[in-house]
Short mmCIF file of all heavy atoms in Angstrom, two decimals:
data_model
loop_
_atom_site.label_atom_id
_atom_site.label_comp_id
_atom_site.label_asym_id
_atom_site.label_seq_id
_atom_site.Cartn_x
_atom_site.Cartn_y
_atom_site.Cartn_z
N MET A 101 6.91 -13.80 -33.73
CA MET A 101 8.26 -13.43 -33.30
C MET A 101 8.45 -11.92 -33.37
O MET A 101 9.21 -11.41 -32.58
CB MET A 101 9.25 -14.19 -34.24
CG MET A 101 10.61 -14.36 -33.64
SD MET A 101 10.45 -15.39 -32.16
CE MET A 101 12.12 -15.33 -31.67
N ASN A 102 7.81 -11.30 -34.29
CA ASN A 102 7.93 -9.89 -34.41
C ASN A 102 7.41 -9.13 -33.18
O ASN A 102 8.01 -8.13 -32.74
CB ASN A 102 7.17 -9.40 -35.66
CG ASN A 102 7.48 -7.96 -36.02
OD1 ASN A 102 8.49 -7.40 -35.65
ND2 ASN A 102 6.61 -7.34 -36.77
N SER A 103 6.33 -9.61 -32.56
CA SER A 103 5.77 -9.00 -31.41
C SER A 103 6.72 -9.16 -30.23
O SER A 103 6.79 -8.26 -29.37
CB SER A 103 4.42 -9.60 -31.06
OG SER A 103 4.51 -10.92 -30.83
N LEU A 104 7.42 -10.28 -30.11
CA LEU A 104 8.38 -10.45 -29.02
C LEU A 104 9.56 -9.44 -29.15
O LEU A 104 9.93 -8.85 -28.15
CB LEU A 104 8.95 -11.83 -29.09
CG LEU A 104 9.95 -12.24 -27.94
CD1 LEU A 104 9.26 -12.07 -26.60
CD2 LEU A 104 10.43 -13.63 -28.13
N LYS A 105 9.96 -9.15 -30.32
CA LYS A 105 10.97 -8.10 -30.50
C LYS A 105 10.45 -6.72 -30.16
O LYS A 105 11.26 -5.93 -29.55
CB LYS A 105 11.46 -8.11 -32.00
CG LYS A 105 12.29 -9.29 -32.41
CD LYS A 105 12.69 -9.24 -33.83
CE LYS A 105 13.48 -10.47 -34.26
NZ LYS A 105 13.90 -10.39 -35.65
N LYS A 106 9.22 -6.44 -30.44
CA LYS A 106 8.63 -5.19 -30.03
C LYS A 106 8.54 -5.04 -28.52
O LYS A 106 8.81 -4.02 -27.98
CB LYS A 106 7.23 -5.07 -30.66
CG LYS A 106 7.22 -4.79 -32.12
CD LYS A 106 5.82 -4.65 -32.62
CE LYS A 106 5.74 -4.45 -34.13
NZ LYS A 106 4.38 -4.30 -34.63
N ILE A 107 8.23 -6.16 -27.87
CA ILE A 107 8.15 -6.12 -26.41
C ILE A 107 9.51 -5.85 -25.79
O ILE A 107 9.66 -5.04 -24.88
CB ILE A 107 7.57 -7.45 -25.86
CG1 ILE A 107 6.09 -7.58 -26.30
CG2 ILE A 107 7.70 -7.55 -24.39
CD1 ILE A 107 5.48 -8.88 -26.02
N VAL A 108 10.50 -6.55 -26.36
CA VAL A 108 11.88 -6.34 -25.82
C VAL A 108 12.34 -4.88 -26.04
O VAL A 108 12.92 -4.28 -25.15
CB VAL A 108 12.89 -7.37 -26.47
CG1 VAL A 108 14.30 -7.00 -26.11
CG2 VAL A 108 12.55 -8.77 -26.02
N LYS A 109 12.08 -4.43 -27.21
CA LYS A 109 12.49 -3.04 -27.56
C LYS A 109 11.75 -2.05 -26.64
O LYS A 109 12.35 -1.07 -26.15
CB LYS A 109 12.15 -2.76 -29.03
CG LYS A 109 12.67 -1.48 -29.47
CD LYS A 109 12.40 -1.28 -31.02
CE LYS A 109 12.99 -0.03 -31.55
NZ LYS A 109 12.82 0.16 -32.99
N GLU A 110 10.45 -2.26 -26.37
CA GLU A 110 9.69 -1.36 -25.51
C GLU A 110 10.18 -1.37 -24.10
O GLU A 110 10.28 -0.32 -23.41
CB GLU A 110 8.21 -1.70 -25.59
CG GLU A 110 7.29 -0.73 -24.93
CD GLU A 110 7.28 0.61 -25.63
OE1 GLU A 110 7.45 0.71 -26.80
OE2 GLU A 110 7.02 1.58 -24.91
N THR A 111 10.49 -2.56 -23.57
CA THR A 111 11.02 -2.61 -22.18
C THR A 111 12.39 -2.00 -22.01
O THR A 111 12.76 -1.57 -20.92
CB THR A 111 11.07 -4.12 -21.68
OG1 THR A 111 11.90 -4.86 -22.59
CG2 THR A 111 9.68 -4.71 -21.59
N GLU A 112 13.15 -1.90 -23.07
CA GLU A 112 14.45 -1.24 -23.01
C GLU A 112 14.24 0.30 -22.91
O GLU A 112 15.11 0.99 -22.38
CB GLU A 112 15.30 -1.56 -24.20
CG GLU A 112 15.80 -3.01 -24.26
CD GLU A 112 16.48 -3.37 -25.57
OE1 GLU A 112 16.40 -2.53 -26.55
OE2 GLU A 112 17.05 -4.48 -25.62
N ARG A 113 13.12 0.82 -23.33
CA ARG A 113 12.88 2.25 -23.29
C ARG A 113 12.35 2.70 -21.94
O ARG A 113 12.34 3.88 -21.65
CB ARG A 113 11.87 2.62 -24.35
CG ARG A 113 12.40 2.50 -25.75
CD ARG A 113 11.42 2.81 -26.85
NE ARG A 113 10.42 3.78 -26.40
CZ ARG A 113 9.39 4.16 -27.14
NH1 ARG A 113 9.19 3.65 -28.29
NH2 ARG A 113 8.52 5.04 -26.66
N ILE A 114 11.94 1.77 -21.08
CA ILE A 114 11.42 2.10 -19.75
C ILE A 114 12.52 2.60 -18.86
O ILE A 114 13.59 2.03 -18.81
CB ILE A 114 10.69 0.90 -19.16
CG1 ILE A 114 9.53 0.46 -20.04
CG2 ILE A 114 10.22 1.19 -17.74
CD1 ILE A 114 8.87 -0.81 -19.63
N SER A 115 12.26 3.65 -18.15
CA SER A 115 13.21 4.14 -17.16
C SER A 115 12.81 3.55 -15.82
O SER A 115 11.86 3.97 -15.19
CB SER A 115 13.25 5.66 -17.13
OG SER A 115 12.01 6.16 -16.72
N TRP A 116 13.58 2.58 -15.35
CA TRP A 116 13.29 1.85 -14.14
C TRP A 116 13.85 2.63 -12.95
O TRP A 116 14.82 3.35 -13.03
CB TRP A 116 13.92 0.48 -14.13
CG TRP A 116 13.39 -0.40 -15.29
CD1 TRP A 116 13.94 -0.59 -16.50
CD2 TRP A 116 12.15 -1.12 -15.27
NE1 TRP A 116 13.16 -1.39 -17.27
CE2 TRP A 116 12.03 -1.73 -16.53
CE3 TRP A 116 11.15 -1.29 -14.36
CZ2 TRP A 116 10.98 -2.56 -16.92
CZ3 TRP A 116 10.07 -2.11 -14.71
CH2 TRP A 116 10.01 -2.71 -15.99
N LEU A 117 13.21 2.48 -11.78
CA LEU A 117 13.71 3.10 -10.57
C LEU A 117 14.98 2.39 -10.10
O LEU A 117 15.16 1.18 -10.32
CB LEU A 117 12.64 2.97 -9.48
CG LEU A 117 11.36 3.72 -9.68
CD1 LEU A 117 10.40 3.48 -8.48
CD2 LEU A 117 11.65 5.24 -9.74
N SER A 118 15.80 3.14 -9.41
CA SER A 118 17.00 2.52 -8.84
C SER A 118 16.60 1.69 -7.59
O SER A 118 15.51 1.81 -7.10
CB SER A 118 18.00 3.59 -8.44
OG SER A 118 17.54 4.31 -7.33
N ILE A 119 17.57 0.90 -7.12
CA ILE A 119 17.33 0.07 -5.96
C ILE A 119 16.95 0.95 -4.70
O ILE A 119 16.04 0.63 -3.98
CB ILE A 119 18.49 -0.84 -5.64
CG1 ILE A 119 18.74 -1.81 -6.78
CG2 ILE A 119 18.33 -1.56 -4.31
CD1 ILE A 119 17.62 -2.83 -6.95
N SER A 120 17.70 2.04 -4.58
CA SER A 120 17.40 2.87 -3.41
C SER A 120 16.08 3.56 -3.50
O SER A 120 15.34 3.70 -2.51
CB SER A 120 18.54 3.92 -3.25
OG SER A 120 18.59 4.80 -4.34
N GLN A 121 15.67 3.96 -4.66
CA GLN A 121 14.34 4.57 -4.87
C GLN A 121 13.19 3.53 -4.62
O GLN A 121 12.29 3.87 -3.95
CB GLN A 121 14.21 5.14 -6.27
CG GLN A 121 14.98 6.35 -6.55
CD GLN A 121 14.93 6.77 -8.03
OE1 GLN A 121 14.99 5.86 -8.92
NE2 GLN A 121 14.88 8.02 -8.31
N THR A 122 13.45 2.35 -5.06
CA THR A 122 12.44 1.29 -4.87
C THR A 122 12.32 0.98 -3.36
O THR A 122 11.23 0.81 -2.87
CB THR A 122 12.82 0.00 -5.62
OG1 THR A 122 13.00 0.37 -7.00
CG2 THR A 122 11.84 -1.08 -5.46
N THR A 123 13.44 0.85 -2.68
CA THR A 123 13.45 0.61 -1.27
C THR A 123 12.77 1.77 -0.51
O THR A 123 11.95 1.52 0.42
CB THR A 123 14.89 0.44 -0.70
OG1 THR A 123 15.53 -0.61 -1.47
CG2 THR A 123 14.89 0.15 0.77
N ASN A 124 13.10 2.99 -0.86
CA ASN A 124 12.44 4.16 -0.22
C ASN A 124 10.96 4.15 -0.37
O ASN A 124 10.20 4.37 0.56
CB ASN A 124 13.08 5.42 -0.81
CG ASN A 124 12.66 6.65 -0.07
OD1 ASN A 124 12.31 6.63 1.05
ND2 ASN A 124 12.75 7.78 -0.76
N GLU A 125 10.46 3.90 -1.60
CA GLU A 125 9.05 3.87 -1.85
C GLU A 125 8.36 2.70 -1.12
O GLU A 125 7.24 2.88 -0.63
CB GLU A 125 8.79 3.85 -3.34
CG GLU A 125 9.26 5.02 -4.12
CD GLU A 125 8.66 6.33 -3.62
OE1 GLU A 125 7.43 6.36 -3.32
OE2 GLU A 125 9.39 7.29 -3.55
N THR A 126 9.03 1.57 -1.05
CA THR A 126 8.45 0.43 -0.35
C THR A 126 8.34 0.72 1.11
O THR A 126 7.31 0.37 1.73
CB THR A 126 9.39 -0.79 -0.59
OG1 THR A 126 9.46 -1.07 -1.96
CG2 THR A 126 8.82 -2.02 0.14
N VAL A 127 9.35 1.36 1.76
CA VAL A 127 9.27 1.70 3.15
C VAL A 127 8.13 2.67 3.42
O VAL A 127 7.35 2.53 4.41
CB VAL A 127 10.62 2.30 3.65
CG1 VAL A 127 10.50 2.91 4.99
CG2 VAL A 127 11.69 1.20 3.65
N LYS A 128 7.92 3.65 2.50
CA LYS A 128 6.82 4.60 2.67
C LYS A 128 5.47 3.88 2.62
O LYS A 128 4.57 4.19 3.46
CB LYS A 128 6.84 5.63 1.57
CG LYS A 128 7.98 6.66 1.65
CD LYS A 128 7.93 7.60 0.48
CE LYS A 128 9.07 8.56 0.49
NZ LYS A 128 9.05 9.43 -0.74
N ILE A 129 5.35 2.92 1.75
CA ILE A 129 4.08 2.18 1.64
C ILE A 129 3.82 1.33 2.86
O ILE A 129 2.68 1.29 3.33
CB ILE A 129 4.07 1.35 0.34
CG1 ILE A 129 3.98 2.25 -0.88
CG2 ILE A 129 2.90 0.33 0.33
CD1 ILE A 129 4.17 1.60 -2.16
N VAL A 130 4.90 0.70 3.37
CA VAL A 130 4.68 -0.18 4.58
C VAL A 130 4.32 0.68 5.72
O VAL A 130 3.41 0.34 6.50
CB VAL A 130 6.00 -0.94 4.85
CG1 VAL A 130 5.97 -1.62 6.19
CG2 VAL A 130 6.21 -2.01 3.75
N ILE A 131 4.98 1.84 5.93
CA ILE A 131 4.63 2.76 7.04
C ILE A 131 3.23 3.29 6.90
O ILE A 131 2.44 3.30 7.89
CB ILE A 131 5.65 3.88 7.12
CG1 ILE A 131 7.01 3.38 7.59
CG2 ILE A 131 5.17 4.98 8.07
CD1 ILE A 131 8.15 4.36 7.54
N PHE A 132 2.80 3.65 5.73
CA PHE A 132 1.46 4.13 5.46
C PHE A 132 0.46 3.05 5.82
O PHE A 132 -0.61 3.30 6.40
CB PHE A 132 1.31 4.63 4.05
CG PHE A 132 -0.09 5.09 3.70
CD1 PHE A 132 -0.57 6.30 4.17
CD2 PHE A 132 -0.94 4.31 2.97
CE1 PHE A 132 -1.81 6.74 3.86
CE2 PHE A 132 -2.17 4.69 2.66
CZ PHE A 132 -2.64 5.94 3.11
N SER A 133 0.75 1.81 5.41
CA SER A 133 -0.16 0.69 5.67
C SER A 133 -0.32 0.44 7.16
O SER A 133 -1.43 0.23 7.67
CB SER A 133 0.35 -0.57 4.99
OG SER A 133 0.38 -0.39 3.61
N ILE A 134 0.80 0.52 7.90
CA ILE A 134 0.79 0.31 9.31
C ILE A 134 -0.08 1.40 10.02
O ILE A 134 -0.87 1.11 10.90
CB ILE A 134 2.18 0.24 9.94
CG1 ILE A 134 2.84 -1.09 9.47
CG2 ILE A 134 2.15 0.29 11.46
CD1 ILE A 134 4.34 -1.18 9.77
N VAL A 135 0.12 2.65 9.59
CA VAL A 135 -0.67 3.74 10.16
C VAL A 135 -2.11 3.55 9.85
O VAL A 135 -2.97 3.80 10.77
CB VAL A 135 -0.15 5.08 9.60
CG1 VAL A 135 -1.10 6.20 9.94
CG2 VAL A 135 1.25 5.40 10.16
N CYS A 136 -2.50 3.12 8.69
CA CYS A 136 -3.90 2.87 8.34
C CYS A 136 -4.50 1.79 9.19
O CYS A 136 -5.61 1.90 9.67
CB CYS A 136 -4.06 2.54 6.84
SG CYS A 136 -3.86 3.97 5.77
N VAL A 137 -3.74 0.72 9.38
CA VAL A 137 -4.21 -0.41 10.21
C VAL A 137 -4.47 0.02 11.61
O VAL A 137 -5.50 -0.30 12.24
CB VAL A 137 -3.24 -1.59 10.10
CG1 VAL A 137 -3.51 -2.63 11.22
CG2 VAL A 137 -3.31 -2.28 8.74
N LEU A 138 -3.50 0.76 12.18
CA LEU A 138 -3.67 1.26 13.56
C LEU A 138 -4.85 2.17 13.67
O LEU A 138 -5.64 2.12 14.62
CB LEU A 138 -2.39 1.99 13.99
CG LEU A 138 -1.17 1.06 14.21
CD1 LEU A 138 0.08 1.90 14.51
CD2 LEU A 138 -1.42 0.04 15.30
N PHE A 139 -5.03 3.07 12.72
CA PHE A 139 -6.14 4.05 12.73
C PHE A 139 -7.46 3.30 12.66
O PHE A 139 -8.41 3.52 13.44
CB PHE A 139 -6.03 5.04 11.61
CG PHE A 139 -7.18 5.97 11.51
CD1 PHE A 139 -7.38 7.01 12.42
CD2 PHE A 139 -8.15 5.80 10.50
CE1 PHE A 139 -8.45 7.84 12.32
CE2 PHE A 139 -9.21 6.63 10.39
CZ PHE A 139 -9.38 7.66 11.32
N LEU A 140 -7.62 2.38 11.71
CA LEU A 140 -8.86 1.66 11.58
C LEU A 140 -9.17 0.73 12.74
O LEU A 140 -10.28 0.54 13.16
CB LEU A 140 -8.86 0.86 10.24
CG LEU A 140 -8.89 1.74 8.97
CD1 LEU A 140 -8.72 0.83 7.76
CD2 LEU A 140 -10.14 2.53 8.91
N GLY A 141 -8.08 0.14 13.33
CA GLY A 141 -8.25 -0.69 14.51
C GLY A 141 -8.74 0.14 15.68
O GLY A 141 -9.61 -0.32 16.45
N PHE A 142 -8.17 1.37 15.80
CA PHE A 142 -8.63 2.26 16.90
C PHE A 142 -10.08 2.63 16.73
O PHE A 142 -10.87 2.61 17.69
CB PHE A 142 -7.72 3.48 16.96
CG PHE A 142 -8.09 4.43 18.04
CD1 PHE A 142 -7.95 4.13 19.36
CD2 PHE A 142 -8.65 5.68 17.68
CE1 PHE A 142 -8.28 5.02 20.37
CE2 PHE A 142 -8.98 6.58 18.68
CZ PHE A 142 -8.82 6.25 20.03
N ILE A 143 -10.50 2.98 15.51
CA ILE A 143 -11.89 3.32 15.21
C ILE A 143 -12.80 2.17 15.55
O ILE A 143 -13.86 2.29 16.17
CB ILE A 143 -12.04 3.83 13.79
CG1 ILE A 143 -11.27 5.07 13.54
CG2 ILE A 143 -13.53 3.97 13.43
CD1 ILE A 143 -11.72 6.31 14.36
N ASN A 144 -12.39 0.98 15.12
CA ASN A 144 -13.15 -0.24 15.40
C ASN A 144 -13.31 -0.46 16.92
O ASN A 144 -14.36 -0.82 17.35
CB ASN A 144 -12.47 -1.43 14.75
CG ASN A 144 -13.27 -2.70 14.88
OD1 ASN A 144 -14.47 -2.68 14.89
ND2 ASN A 144 -12.57 -3.81 15.02
N TRP A 145 -12.21 -0.27 17.64
CA TRP A 145 -12.25 -0.44 19.10
C TRP A 145 -13.22 0.57 19.75
O TRP A 145 -13.97 0.18 20.64
CB TRP A 145 -10.82 -0.33 19.63
CG TRP A 145 -10.72 -0.46 21.12
CD1 TRP A 145 -10.72 -1.60 21.88
CD2 TRP A 145 -10.65 0.63 22.07
NE1 TRP A 145 -10.63 -1.29 23.15
CE2 TRP A 145 -10.58 0.07 23.36
CE3 TRP A 145 -10.62 2.01 21.92
CZ2 TRP A 145 -10.53 0.83 24.48
CZ3 TRP A 145 -10.53 2.79 23.07
CH2 TRP A 145 -10.47 2.19 24.35
N LEU A 146 -13.13 1.80 19.29
CA LEU A 146 -14.04 2.84 19.80
C LEU A 146 -15.49 2.42 19.54
O LEU A 146 -16.36 2.60 20.44
CB LEU A 146 -13.72 4.19 19.18
CG LEU A 146 -12.50 4.95 19.75
CD1 LEU A 146 -12.36 6.29 18.96
CD2 LEU A 146 -12.70 5.25 21.21
N LEU A 147 -15.79 2.04 18.31
CA LEU A 147 -17.17 1.70 17.94
C LEU A 147 -17.63 0.48 18.79
O LEU A 147 -18.78 0.44 19.23
CB LEU A 147 -17.28 1.42 16.50
CG LEU A 147 -17.15 2.70 15.60
CD1 LEU A 147 -17.11 2.31 14.14
CD2 LEU A 147 -18.24 3.67 15.87
N GLN A 148 -16.79 -0.53 18.96
CA GLN A 148 -17.21 -1.68 19.72
C GLN A 148 -17.46 -1.36 21.16
O GLN A 148 -18.48 -1.73 21.74
CB GLN A 148 -16.11 -2.79 19.65
CG GLN A 148 -16.14 -3.60 18.42
CD GLN A 148 -15.07 -4.70 18.49
OE1 GLN A 148 -14.06 -4.56 19.11
NE2 GLN A 148 -15.28 -5.78 17.79
N ASN A 149 -16.56 -0.59 21.78
CA ASN A 149 -16.73 -0.21 23.20
C ASN A 149 -17.95 0.71 23.31
O ASN A 149 -18.74 0.58 24.32
CB ASN A 149 -15.54 0.43 23.71
CG ASN A 149 -14.44 -0.55 24.04
OD1 ASN A 149 -14.70 -1.76 24.17
ND2 ASN A 149 -13.21 -0.11 24.07
N GLY A 150 -18.13 1.66 22.43
CA GLY A 150 -19.30 2.53 22.54
C GLY A 150 -20.60 1.78 22.37
O GLY A 150 -21.54 1.97 23.10
N LEU A 151 -20.65 0.86 21.42
CA LEU A 151 -21.85 0.05 21.26
C LEU A 151 -22.08 -0.84 22.44
O LEU A 151 -23.25 -0.98 22.91
CB LEU A 151 -21.75 -0.78 19.95
CG LEU A 151 -23.03 -1.40 19.42
CD1 LEU A 151 -24.05 -0.33 19.12
CD2 LEU A 151 -22.73 -2.21 18.19
N HIS A 152 -21.04 -1.43 22.98
CA HIS A 152 -21.21 -2.33 24.16
C HIS A 152 -21.71 -1.49 25.33
O HIS A 152 -22.58 -1.97 26.10
CB HIS A 152 -19.82 -2.99 24.43
CG HIS A 152 -19.90 -3.82 25.72
ND1 HIS A 152 -20.56 -5.04 25.72
CD2 HIS A 152 -19.36 -3.64 26.92
CE1 HIS A 152 -20.43 -5.56 26.92
NE2 HIS A 152 -19.71 -4.73 27.69
N ASN A 153 -21.15 -0.32 25.54
CA ASN A 153 -21.62 0.55 26.64
C ASN A 153 -23.05 0.94 26.51
O ASN A 153 -23.81 1.07 27.44
CB ASN A 153 -20.70 1.73 26.81
CG ASN A 153 -19.35 1.35 27.33
OD1 ASN A 153 -19.15 0.27 27.91
ND2 ASN A 153 -18.36 2.20 27.06
N LEU A 154 -23.46 1.22 25.26
CA LEU A 154 -24.87 1.61 25.05
C LEU A 154 -25.82 0.46 25.31
O LEU A 154 -26.93 0.65 25.82
CB LEU A 154 -25.07 2.06 23.60
CG LEU A 154 -24.56 3.49 23.28
CD1 LEU A 154 -24.70 3.77 21.77
CD2 LEU A 154 -25.38 4.52 24.03
N LEU A 155 -25.42 -0.73 24.95
CA LEU A 155 -26.31 -1.89 25.12
C LEU A 155 -26.39 -2.37 26.59
O LEU A 155 -27.33 -3.03 26.96
CB LEU A 155 -25.83 -3.09 24.24
CG LEU A 155 -25.93 -2.90 22.74
CD1 LEU A 155 -25.33 -4.01 22.00
CD2 LEU A 155 -27.38 -2.69 22.35
N THR A 156 -25.40 -2.04 27.40
CA THR A 156 -25.38 -2.51 28.77
C THR A 156 -26.01 -1.41 29.66
O THR A 156 -26.03 -1.60 30.94
CB THR A 156 -23.94 -2.79 29.24
OG1 THR A 156 -23.10 -1.65 29.05
CG2 THR A 156 -23.40 -3.97 28.51
N LEU A 157 -26.54 -0.37 29.17
CA LEU A 157 -27.22 0.66 30.02
C LEU A 157 -28.47 0.16 30.59
O LEU A 157 -29.25 -0.53 30.13
CB LEU A 157 -27.44 1.96 29.21
CG LEU A 157 -26.16 2.77 28.90
CD1 LEU A 157 -26.55 3.97 28.02
CD2 LEU A 157 -25.52 3.26 30.16
#
């Protein structure tokens, strides 16, 4: 039971982000993820077309 009190006391000391900060950071992560997916998809498309063109010569 003592360890549970320590956990509760420790979580009270944490400075949590506000809702607006959390939303802002989440939007940044989603946008970054979309950009990464588009970039990697484009690279994949380039490699596939380049390889296909080389094989059909």
Side-chain angles (χ1 to χ4, degrees):
M101 201 63 181
N102 191 21
S103 61
L104 184 59
K105 288 180 183 180
K106 287 181 182 179
I107 292 172
V108 171
K109 188 175 183 179
E110 189 65 30
T111 56
E112 290 172 352
R113 292 178 28 185
I114 297 172
S115 61
W116 299 98
L117 294 176
S118 69
I119 296 294
S120 64
Q121 288 172 321
T122 303
T123 304
N124 188 24
E125 297 302 318
T126 302
V127 168
K128 288 179 186 177
I129 290 171
V130 168
I131 290 172
F132 178 76
S133 298
I134 291 170
V135 168
C136 286
V137 165
L138 292 174
F139 175 74
L140 292 174
F142 179 69
I143 296 296
N144 184 35
W145 179 79
L146 282 177
L147 290 173
Q148 278 184 332
N149 285 338
L151 194 60
H152 177 71
N153 290 340
L154 282 174
L155 293 176
T156 57
L157 288 176

